[in-house]
Amino acid sequence: MRDPAASPARASVRPTAWPAAGPAAGPAARRAPLAALPLALALAAAALTACSSADTTPPPAPGGLTAQAGSATSVHVMWSSPAPADAVAAFLVFQSDRLVRELPADRTMVDITGLTPQTAYGFTVRARDTAGNTSPPSAAASATTPAAKAEDHEAPAAPPRAAGRALGPTSAQLTWAAASDDTGVTAYDVYQGAARIHTVGPGVTETALEGLQPDTAYTFTVRARDGADNSSPDGPPVDVTTPAGPGQRPDTAPAEFTAVASAGAVTLSWTAPPTGRETNEYELHVNGRPTTVIQFGAGAVPAGRAEHRLEVTEPVGTVWTVKLRARLPDGTWGAFSAERRITLVQSAATPPI
């Protein structure tokens, strides 16, 4: 990467203006250019050093590339996240030798659409760093789109069962029961909240999820998809809490969090995290945004399960995703609880939260 100081250093190097020789100049004036010469040489050396330090080393090729047909006209392509030291700024996705997508560094999956049914496709991915250097191509991954199903408007059934467990601070194992569909399931999509984070093939009923955060509560769901891109409802939610990494504090997330909608209200219930002290303050997030702080007064802090009732006025059918976190003894917020998705069933004539 070019040193930001390089341009000013080069701009300051100028030919030395030697004074005219003669009686008017005097010995002191004749000595002045010699005193300035070391400075000029130092500036020139700095400019040369800055030029030679430009980053010309490309990042390594992306690893872990997979391709999975999601429907008769689409393929889901995924690869591994880069290491922070690689300074990756973008990913370039190629179908054969043709660039089909350019994605920012935080995106490591993409759906390639508009494809032809019953056709084999090959994909590679290159990484580009912040200095503009492009990596070699990844190992190729291929997938064959299935035959199109005419007039298929019926979605698959949801996977009937699911379970999960943490494999470590940054990974988890998820399993589910196979779903059924009138034309056949072509893929399973794993969601974390409303975001799809993983896709596997039709005969797969388990997968490892990588790149998770330590000491974090996750709620995963699985949806089945058919060849016409019809997606099933969510399967049963699976809660997984990753353990703390080396040197990190123990789990700080409220446990066994539930949210139940009733007429004009939502009732929240949870178990306080084991912080060593009473936890009397919790921050509630609704649809990804902080909404209110729940506080328990002196002498009212629950000893076991905590419960809080919210009165709501939003229309019937409004969908909320809710989660909360506890104020820790050091004044910081702890990890989030699992996230719950609820549908409001009736309005109430009281102010919203």
Side-chain angles (χ1 to χ4, degrees), residues 6 29 88 97 110 165 169 171 176 208 213 259 292 298:
V88 171
D97 295 325
V110 65
R165 62 186 179 91
S171 61
W176 58 91
Q213 296 297 313
T292 190

Side-chain angles (χ1 to χ4, degrees), residues 10-100:
R10 289 196 297 271
S12 65
V13 178
R14 296 287 187 270
T16 304
W18 296 92
R30 287 195 294 271
R31 286 195 297 271
L34 295 178
L37 185 58
L39 176 59
L41 291 175
L43 291 172
L48 291 173
T49 300
C51 291
S52 63
S53 63
D55 180 8
T56 59
T57 303
L65 187 71
T66 61
Q68 173 62 50
S71 70
T73 58
S74 67
V75 170
H76 186 70
V77 182
M78 294 187 299
W79 55 95
S80 300
S81 299
D86 296 336
V88 171
F91 290 107
L92 309 177
V93 183
F94 291 81
Q95 177 187 317
S96 297
D97 295 325
R98 181 170 64 92
L99 177 65
V100 292

Side-chain angles (χ1 to χ4, degrees), residues 324-352:
L324 80 165
R325 57 183 179 176
R327 178 81 74 180
L328 304 182
D330 63 2
T332 62
W333 292 110
F336 278 109
S337 69
E339 188 174 73
R340 299 297 178 224
R341 183 182 178 92
I342 55 174
T343 301
L344 304 186
V345 296
Q346 184 175 332
S347 301
T350 53

Side-chain angles (χ1 to χ4, degrees), residues 163 165 172-178 188 190 198-209 222:
R165 62 186 179 91
Q173 182 80 17
L174 196 64
T175 61
W176 58 91
Y188 289 99
V190 179
H198 199 63
T199 296
V200 296
V204 180
T205 56
E206 65 177 5
T207 191
L209 304 174
V222 180

Side-chain angles (χ1 to χ4, degrees), residues 180-283:
S180 59
D181 182 68
D182 59 335
T183 61
V185 172
T186 60
Y188 289 99
D189 297 320
V190 179
Y191 284 77
Q192 194 271 307
R196 184 176 62 173
I197 61 170
H198 199 63
T199 296
V200 296
V204 180
T205 56
E206 65 177 5
T207 191
L209 304 174
E210 304 290 344
L212 305 181
Q213 296 297 313
D215 189 22
T216 301
Y218 290 95
T219 299
F220 301 109
T221 55
V222 180
R223 300 179 192 174
R225 189 151 42 103
D226 65 19
D229 255 349
N230 300 309
S231 286
S232 76
D234 287 337
V238 177
D239 294 339
V240 175
T241 299
T242 53
Q248 291 183 313
R249 60 190 178 190
D251 181 27
T252 58
E256 301 170 319
F257 177 56
T258 63
V260 179
S262 59
V266 172
T267 301
L268 310 175
S269 179
W270 65 92
T271 300
T275 63
R277 299 186 191 176
E278 287 187 336
T279 304
N280 63 358
E281 190 173 356
Y282 297 86
E283 184 181 56

